[in-house]
Amino acid sequence: MFLNRHFCIMLLCVLFICSIFWWQQPVNVVTAMATGGYADNPHQFVKQCFQKLDYRQFELAEKLMTEDAYIESMSLVQRLRDNPFLSMQKIDVQSAGHSTFLVTITLGSSIDPQEEVSYQVEVNQADVGLIITSVKASR
């Protein structure tokens, strides 16, 4: 019976399914989300914040900014809320200083033409880690 191919295939399937459940435990997922990998790197921090805006995770993006910075970025947030098809097709983050970054975003969708928008973003160290203190649209 142990050499039966159906039994071996079923045993392998059960083993794979159990390993998937073991690997995707909530503890592992929450740990991966909490450590993030971008908490120490301001370049990745800024890119992650704009990706959260693109994914329509506005509450999470707001937690990465000060209140003033979020108010400054409301024009972008409102555009993303108004047009569900609009997405950030390309996010380019360039360092413009020690804590200042120039973020160039290519916005567009299948029905809207592509548009390039630039923002000057300032990042500072806070008690909880990095935080975006200013998001200014630059023309």
Side-chain angles (χ1 to χ4, degrees):
M1 177 167 162
F2 289 113
L3 298 176
N4 185 352
R5 68 175 182 246
H6 297 293
F7 179 75
C8 291
I9 291 173
M10 282 182 35
L11 187 65
L12 284 174
C13 289
V14 168
L15 180 69
F16 287 137
I17 290 172
C18 290
S19 66
I20 289 172
F21 283 119
W22 171 78
W23 183 51
Q24 293 293 332
Q25 287 179 346
V27 173
N28 295 339
V29 173
V30 170
T31 303
M33 287 172 53
T35 55
Y38 57 84
D40 295 336
N41 186 349
H43 184 273
Q44 286 297 98
F45 183 77
V46 170
K47 188 166 189 164
Q48 186 71 23
C49 181
F50 278 91
Q51 285 176 343
K52 289 191 183 314
L53 289 174
D54 186 33
Y55 298 152
R56 294 348 190 237
Q57 297 173 337
F58 302 119
E59 293 81 21
L60 294 175
E62 184 178 5
K63 291 181 182 180
L64 300 177
M65 301 180 194
T66 61
E67 187 176 336
D68 294 336
Y70 189 71
I71 291 171
E72 290 174 352
S73 66
M74 279 305 290
S75 62
L76 177 62
V77 170
Q78 196 59 41
R79 284 183 69 183
L80 292 170
R81 281 188 177 150
D82 291 344
N83 189 350
F85 299 112
L86 192 64
S87 70
M88 296 182 196
Q89 297 177 347
K90 183 179 176 187
I91 303 170
D92 184 33
V93 181
Q94 298 174 354
S95 180
H98 176 65
S99 63
T100 306
F101 296 92
L102 181 65
V103 181
T104 306
I105 302 169
T106 304
L107 292 169
S109 68
S110 58
I111 56 175
D112 295 322
Q114 288 188 350
E115 177 185 354
E116 199 167 279
V117 182
S118 296
Y119 292 94
Q120 184 175 354
V121 179
E122 290 183 23
V123 179
N124 289 326
Q125 191 70 30
D127 296 337
V128 293
L130 296 173
I131 191 160
I132 295 176
T133 57
S134 175
V135 179
K136 295 180 183 172
S138 58
R139 299 286 169 187

